[in-house]
Amino acid sequence: YPWVPEERIHTIPRGVEVDLFSPEKVDVAWMEAFKKEHHLEGKFVATAIGRVSALKGIDTLVSAIACLKDRMPNAIALVVGGPQKHQEHVFDDLRVQAEALGVADRVLLVGSQKKIPEIAALSNVVCSCNVRKPESFGCTVAEALSMETPVIAAAHGGVLDIIRDGQDGILYPPGDVEALASAIEKVSTTRYSGLRQHILDCFTAERMV
């Protein structure tokens, strides 16, 4: 719209329900039970959250976990979400891939979960791995930061407006398995701060309204 003066144009980013996605309000008992059920104690949990489809690039995360089999034996992929309609085969494809790469015990597909704030809180990092088509915004990315959980994200699309590379986590080239594996390693030895404050400053639902 070249005829519209720039000063008339404003960007209104999507907002996070920060009262819901609050580290102070998590169900600790549920988190402990979930970790016990899925044997997460002592693991470095790299989580993908959202509908499981070919779009999400979760196969990239599975391959990255395989790359870390010897370098970081406690790293696991936690895949949270149900299959997208007409893409139910992706679940089976991921299981076959994990088995072929020898990491079937390190890739957990736990289906849909209601307590997403708790999932984000118990994760060591949340991963957004889209390859062919980026997220238009990346809601789970912003929600993870609101829970003080760092993010690794493929560097395209909406996440570029959210993630400050090196401050909130790491951006990597879409589809680059080794770069994703290296990012997981780096995040595991890095301490991050101010993640929730960044969301409070820029990406709240109240601010959006």
Side-chain angles (χ1 to χ4, degrees), residues 46-209:
T47 303
I49 303 172
R51 288 189 303 275
V52 177
S53 70
L55 172 67
K56 297 294 184 180
I58 297 170
D59 57 321
T60 311
L61 178 58
V62 173
S63 294
I65 293 297
C67 285
L68 295 170
K69 190 161 40 174
D70 298 321
R71 288 151 51 185
M72 196 176 167
N74 68 327
I76 68 164
L78 177 66
V79 181
V80 177
Q84 187 161 317
K85 192 174 181 180
H86 305 309
Q87 292 200 37
E88 291 80 0
H89 65 90
V90 175
F91 258 93
D92 293 331
D93 293 345
L94 292 172
R95 290 192 181 97
V96 170
Q97 178 192 6
E99 187 73 40
L101 293 173
V103 290
D105 60 335
R106 297 175 58 180
V107 177
L108 307 179
L109 295 106
V110 298
S112 297
Q113 300 289 327
K114 291 183 178 180
K115 290 184 176 286
I116 298 302
E118 282 76 7
I119 293 289
L122 64 83
S123 302
N124 297 102
V125 65
V126 167
C127 299
S128 177
C129 304
N130 294 45
V131 179
R132 286 170 292 181
K133 183 180 178 183
E135 296 286 354
S136 55
F137 176 66
C139 198
T140 58
V141 166
E143 290 167 351
L145 296 183
S146 187
M147 299 305 295
E148 295 286 4
T149 300
V151 171
I152 297 171
H156 57 171
V159 298
L160 297 176
D161 292 331
I162 305 170
I163 301 299
R164 301 166 298 177
D165 192 24
Q167 290 182 258
D168 305 306
I170 298 175
L171 296 169
Y172 74 96
D176 190 328
V177 171
E178 179 54 41
L180 175 54
S182 297
I184 292 172
E185 278 188 294
K186 186 170 183 180
V187 168
S188 73
T189 60
T190 304
R191 297 190 68 177
Y192 295 92
S193 61
L195 307 183
R196 178 172 170 82
Q197 190 59 51
H198 174 46
I199 299 303
L200 293 176
D201 290 342
C202 303
F203 298 105
T204 66
E206 182 180 15
R207 182 183 177 93
M208 175 180 69
V209 171

